[in-house]
Amino acid sequence: MRSDIVKKGSTRAAHRSLFYAMGYTPEELNKPFIGIVNAFNEVIPGHIGLRDVTNAVKLGITAAGGMAAEFPAIGICDGIAMGHDGMKYPLPSRELIADSIEAMTIAHGFDGLVLVPNCDKIVPGMLMAAARLNIPAVVVSGGPMMAGRYEGRDISVSTMFEAAGLYEAGKITAEQLDQMERAACPGCGSCAGMFTANTMNCMAETLGMALPGNGTIPAVQSGVRTMMAKQAGAIAVDLVKKDIKPRDIMTREAFANAIAVDMGIGGSSNTVLHLTAIAHEAGVDLPLSLFEEISAQTPYIVKLSPGGTHHIQDLNEAGGIPAVMNELAKRSVIHREAKTIEGTVGERIAAAAIRRPDVIRTVDNPYRDRGGIAILSGNLAPDGAVVKESAVAEDMLTFRGTARVFDSEEAAIEAIVGKKIVDGDVVVIRYEGPKGGPGMKEMLNPTAVIAGMGLKVALLTDGRFSGATRGACVGHISPEAMEGGPIALVEDGDTILLDIPNRVLRLEVSETELAKRQAAWKQPKPKVTTGYLARYARLVTSANTGAVLK
């Protein structure tokens, strides 16, 4: 076992003494050493219940003959960080999480890992670490939040971001806003819609690194979650004994499955960043062209918030991810032979069935014939851009408008709230990419306010969007402005064409004029010059390559 390097032989007497100081027994030191990475904190609703999950994992490890040791991982709540300088940190925190798990695992000689995340960057950060370290690993999340209820309808945190726009437009009162915010998030769990956290927990399941139900069983179903956590702990020990590693599971076929499911459920556009980054760590090439290729073959069959009115609890009742995969397999976009932590995909989905056809449609009756995420290109995004097509209204799929350009999210929000944006505008927010932000801030505040105010506008950025975003919102524009990409050359009054059905994003300015602007462009000074973000900005790559560090 790998852990022999810290437990066996006369030269490890001091090491054993340190284990004995913590109460480990000589018998335990002969067992597989399983690290439990617990992302618990008292800041993220999705993580507030992870102590219970972790305790159940320990029971599972112990019962299966392993020795469990818990250590922490940081986590940032995207919702609380949203709309201010704190949003510069969530994406960079993904790298910190992966790096810290690497450091702890190698330093202490773990034989295997159980990864216990729940929210946006924590799930991909842990999966990146698993792929990088390539020792037996299992993911078990804390589960999604239930939707809140207000005046007879389901609501969630995305409702509240849009409620700010309703309030600013005078469509609701301050009292109504207060009542809604008290009802929107009724308890622990990752926010209730098909936002980034829940999408990534579904992706962990689809990749084969987590058990069925990992992405959809509500956090409040603590009995089921406890059982799953115990199983995860036992499976981790079994994987060590069988020497089955993450790269045996996270193959190109597994990533193709994940992309297909992502397209079928209309997942967060952030999954393009995260799946690409995880694949990079696993040594799998995942170009943007593959997302578009799979999207063209995959029908969109699940329409959850923010694109629809259903939430994750409804998807769970409908049969969850196994039912989605079984249905999509009818279009030959699912690799049944791909491995999972406890068998193959084919074995996992064989008995799955759609239990609520109002939530999961058949491939013969989809919402749309193509996947929920679209990859755009054109002279404004030579290296690609991403839009959550499933959350775009039909009358906005093709849109030509007048550019209104802002060099920061804050400037854009000020203009939107100040009623300076009108129907027909294309709001361009730049210098918010991986390098320019730095950290590639999510733009939920401006998109939600636009939606709440009822404006018919498009929004483009070299930053990114929350999974809770809906509307004609195009992110990940590459190259980013800080690297001199064409988005840096857009001027107020330019005409921009957004043509999602034809996958086009075009600045309708002559090549001669663009060349003139390019020659005159000068890179602005970095927004952050000290600390972690400054180092991150120097090392981070473009969004189209997953914003990984090199």
Side-chain angles (χ1 to χ4, degrees), residues 2 105 110-113 130-137 209 244-246:
R2 288 186 71 257
T105 300
F110 290 114
D111 295 306
L113 295 172
R132 182 189 304 174
L133 291 162
N134 202 32
I135 65 169
M209 292 294 292
I244 297 174
K245 302 182 179 73

Side-chain angles (χ1 to χ4, degrees), residues 251-252 255 259 275-276 279-280 282-291:
T251 61
R252 185 177 176 84
F255 281 103
I259 294 171
L275 288 175
T276 304
H280 172 75
V284 175
D285 184 33
L286 216 62
L288 288 185
S289 58
L290 182 61
F291 287 83

Side-chain angles (χ1 to χ4, degrees), residues 147 153-155 303-312 314 358 367:
R153 63 187 177 98
D154 287 345
I155 64 172
K303 191 173 187 178
L304 303 185
S305 174
T309 56
H310 292 125
H311 292 80
I312 300 296
D314 299 299
D358 61 317
Y367 289 100

Side-chain angles (χ1 to χ4, degrees), residues 76-100:
I76 294 174
C77 180
D78 282 37
I80 295 173
M82 196 74 66
H84 57 91
D85 277 350
M87 186 37 73
K88 296 179 186 292
Y89 285 90
L91 184 60
S93 77
R94 185 187 71 179
E95 317 307 313
L96 290 175
I97 291 163
D99 290 351
S100 63

Side-chain angles (χ1 to χ4, degrees), residues 224-537:
V224 182
R225 280 278 158 195
T226 298
M227 286 189 283
M228 180 183 291
K230 289 177 181 177
Q231 286 178 292
I235 288 171
V237 176
D238 187 54
L239 292 176
V240 170
K241 293 175 179 177
K242 294 177 178 177
D243 196 31
I244 297 174
K245 302 182 179 73
R247 293 188 192 179
D248 298 325
I249 296 170
M250 290 193 284
T251 61
R252 185 177 176 84
E253 290 72 26
F255 281 103
N257 284 346
I259 294 171
V261 171
D262 198 14
M263 296 300 170
I265 62 177
S268 166
S269 59
N270 282 315
T271 52
V272 178
L273 275 178
H274 298 323
L275 288 175
T276 304
I278 297 162
H280 172 75
E281 297 287 359
V284 175
D285 184 33
L286 216 62
L288 288 185
S289 58
L290 182 61
F291 287 83
E292 187 54 37
E293 177 186 326
I294 293 174
S295 178
Q297 303 170 34
T298 308
Y300 171 43
I301 62 173
V302 175
K303 191 173 187 178
L304 303 185
S305 174
T309 56
H310 292 125
H311 292 80
I312 300 296
Q313 66 208 53
D314 299 299
L315 177 58
N316 188 62
E317 289 179 6
I321 295 302
V324 172
M325 295 184 77
N326 195 35
E327 185 63 25
L328 291 178
K330 297 175 182 178
R331 287 288 178 89
S332 300
V333 294
I334 297 297
H335 297 269
R336 292 178 180 270
E337 74 284 359
K339 291 182 179 180
T340 74
I341 54 174
E342 30 62 282
T344 66
V345 167
E347 293 166 345
R348 176 177 285 193
I349 68 174
I354 297 173
R355 297 196 295 267
R356 279 187 58 183
D358 61 317
V359 177
I360 303 175
R361 290 192 174 187
T362 66
V363 293
D364 297 321
N365 181 37
Y367 289 100
R368 289 177 184 165
D369 289 328
R370 300 183 69 143
I373 295 174
I375 307 298
L376 311 182
S377 60
N379 69 346
L380 189 50
D383 292 338
V386 179
V387 62
K388 187 171 181 175
E389 182 177 7
S390 59
V392 180
E394 293 289 337
D395 64 350
M396 289 295 292
L397 290 172
T398 302
F399 184 80
R400 179 180 273 106
T402 304
R404 295 293 311 278
V405 184
F406 303 93
D407 288 346
S408 70
E409 178 193 20
E410 291 79 6
I413 291 174
E414 183 179 349
I416 294 165
V417 174
K419 314 294 192 298
K420 296 177 181 178
I421 302 300
V422 299
D423 288 352
D425 283 345
V426 177
V427 177
V428 178
I429 304 178
R430 62 190 179 191
Y431 296 106
E432 293 287 12
K435 288 183 180 294
M440 206 178 180
K441 292 161 65 176
E442 287 184 344
M443 303 291 167
L444 180 56
N445 261 19
T447 60
V449 173
I450 284 171
M453 294 176 74
L455 291 171
K456 190 173 182 178
V457 303
L459 195 152
L460 316 179
T461 182
D462 54 4
R464 59 196 177 91
F465 294 109
S466 164
T469 292
R470 66 184 176 97
C473 303
V474 181
H476 306 199
I477 292 176
S478 302
E480 64 175 287
M482 199 64 174
E483 293 185 331
I487 190 172
L489 311 179
V490 183
E491 296 181 358
D492 278 335
D494 287 347
T495 299
I496 293 175
L497 172 66
L498 171 62
D499 185 352
I500 297 174
N502 291 307
R503 304 311 198 235
V504 171
L505 183 61
R506 186 166 66 239
L507 177 61
E508 296 186 333
V509 173
S510 70
E511 292 300 315
T512 301
E513 175 62 19
L514 285 177
K516 179 182 175 182
R517 294 180 188 180
Q518 187 76 66
W521 178 80
K522 293 182 180 179
Q523 186 181 63
K525 293 180 180 179
K527 295 177 183 176
V528 179
T529 57
T530 60
Y532 173 59
L533 287 180
R535 298 194 300 276
Y536 177 86

